[in-house]
Amino acid sequence: MIGGVKHVVVNEGQEETFLKLFRALKAEITRHEPGSVYYDLYRSRKASRTYVVTERYRDEAAFQSHQTSAYGQPLFQQMRAIIAIEVEYYDSVD
C-alpha cells in the first residue's frame, strides 16, 4: 500500500469553495478509482482554515492513476489556487 497525508491551509474566505471541490474530487475518486482505499478530509477544530487530507492506495499504480486522472487535473488546479500552504508526506506502507 501507499499512503499520504497533506496538511493544507486554505486562503481566508475560500473554505466553502475548498470543501465543494474536495467533495467533487472524492465523488470522482469513488466512481473511477478502484485502487483507492480511502480519501478523507478533516478540518481543524482550532484553526478553521486548516485541513488534513488522508489518502491510501492499493499500490503505486493506483496512486499514479489518481495523480494523472483527467477529472482530477482541473480539480487539483482549482484547489491549489486557493491553498495558502500545502505540506505533503507520502510513503509506502506494507
Side-chain angles (χ1 to χ4, degrees):
M1 294 238 186
I2 185 167
V5 176
K6 291 180 190 165
H7 295 257
V8 298
V9 178
V10 176
N11 292 330
E12 190 170 346
Q14 296 296 318
E15 298 89 346
E16 289 304 316
T17 301
F18 179 75
L19 290 173
K20 178 182 169 188
L21 292 168
F22 184 88
R23 289 178 185 128
L25 179 59
K26 185 172 180 174
E28 292 294 330
I29 290 168
T30 300
R31 281 194 283 275
H32 302 291
E33 296 184 26
S36 175
V37 177
Y38 62 80
Y39 195 79
D40 294 311
L41 181 68
Y42 300 90
R43 180 186 250 169
S44 170
R45 289 182 175 187
K46 296 180 180 178
S48 63
R49 294 175 28 227
T50 302
Y51 300 85
V52 174
V53 179
T54 60
E55 25 186 337
R56 181 170 276 183
Y57 305 90
R58 286 193 187 133
D59 53 27
E60 181 67 28
F63 173 68
Q64 290 304 321
S65 177
H66 168 74
Q67 292 294 311
T68 60
S69 65
Y71 52 83
Q73 295 309 309
L75 291 168
F76 294 144
Q77 185 177 12
Q78 292 174 63
M79 292 170 87
R80 287 184 188 115
I82 61 171
I83 291 174
I85 300 169
E86 179 176 6
V87 179
E88 293 185 33
Y89 305 97
Y90 284 98
D91 202 356
S92 293
V93 207
D94 295 309

